[in-house]
Amino acid sequence: MRPKLVLFGDSITEESFGDGGWGAALAHHFSRSADIVLRGYSGYNTRWALKVLDRAMDGASFGEPPAAVAVFFGANDASLLDRSSGFQHVPLSEYGANLRAICSLLKEKWDSTIVILITPPPIDEDGRIQNPYGDNLSGLPERTNKEAGAYAKACVAIAEASGLPVIDIWTRMQKFPGWEKSFLRDGLHFTSLGNRVLFEEVVRKLKDMGLSLETMLVDQPLFYDIDPKDPLKTFCN
């Protein structure tokens, strides 16, 4: 049975199968080696994700534990409490507790599954002001990069304390000049270039964990392995 790689996250995950999305890129990359299973929930924070975890994972494994689950929450948790997205806010301490609980439940459900944490991304505050959520009468961003960074730091700390692999996309993206507009189309969600950065990081992290095109079996014989003189012979083994 083909391995499953599950993507569990918020809107950045939900839209990852769109044109140029990081999930679609993973599906293409592993097209003959693994199935990418999408579990993205726009607007969700870790509090809500924890509530729906069991139902969300129903059918994700198809009888076999997934090879890996990428957990990508925090952007909504880091919404500022006194701004237009305040109802999505989760205090930093609770965010950490929720994230640990999500990882523990996944490992209890599938002890052989690799759980990879992804930090919330950086925030372009100007982009959020230009693309506000709801009636933003204050003219202030409902998220800040400083706050997102605090949640990203907590995510990394939890991964390290739990012995889990982590992708610090908050730090990684900011290593590139002009990241604000190059990687974020509205100050939060990814452009095609932003999607590409995360895709490459996920592929690199999966490879570090032993999941790569070099180590995974190919589903069914490749075309160039089929004997043109006796094609059906290939499928008899």
Side-chain angles (χ1 to χ4, degrees), residues 15-62:
E15 65 182 30
S16 69
F17 270 30
D19 290 343
W22 64 281
L26 286 170
H28 176 71
H29 182 78
F30 290 108
S31 60
R32 290 290 293 271
S33 303
D35 291 330
I36 309 302
V37 180
L38 182 62
R39 293 292 186 270
Y41 302 91
S42 179
Y44 275 46
N45 53 35
T46 54
R47 183 185 295 159
W48 304 344
L50 184 56
K51 290 292 186 182
V52 304
L53 177 63
D54 283 339
R55 294 195 300 275
M57 293 300 122
D58 281 348
S61 63
F62 302 102

Side-chain angles (χ1 to χ4, degrees), residues 119-134:
T119 71
I123 298 295
D124 171 26
E125 293 164 31
D126 173 69
R128 294 312 299 154
I129 293 172
Q130 299 302 317
N131 299 273
Y133 173 81

Side-chain angles (χ1 to χ4, degrees), residues 92-93 95-101 103 117 151-164 166:
L92 186 58
S93 59
Y95 166 74
N98 291 340
L99 204 55
R100 283 189 290 269
C103 294
L117 295 182
Y151 284 70
K153 183 178 180 180
C155 180
V156 171
I158 289 165
E160 291 176 348
S162 305
L164 299 175
V166 61

Side-chain angles (χ1 to χ4, degrees), residues 130-149:
Q130 299 302 317
N131 299 273
Y133 173 81
D135 295 326
N136 185 13
L137 301 178
S138 70
L140 299 172
E142 87 288 4
R143 293 167 169 83
T144 65
N145 195 39
K146 180 180 179 181
E147 194 72 1

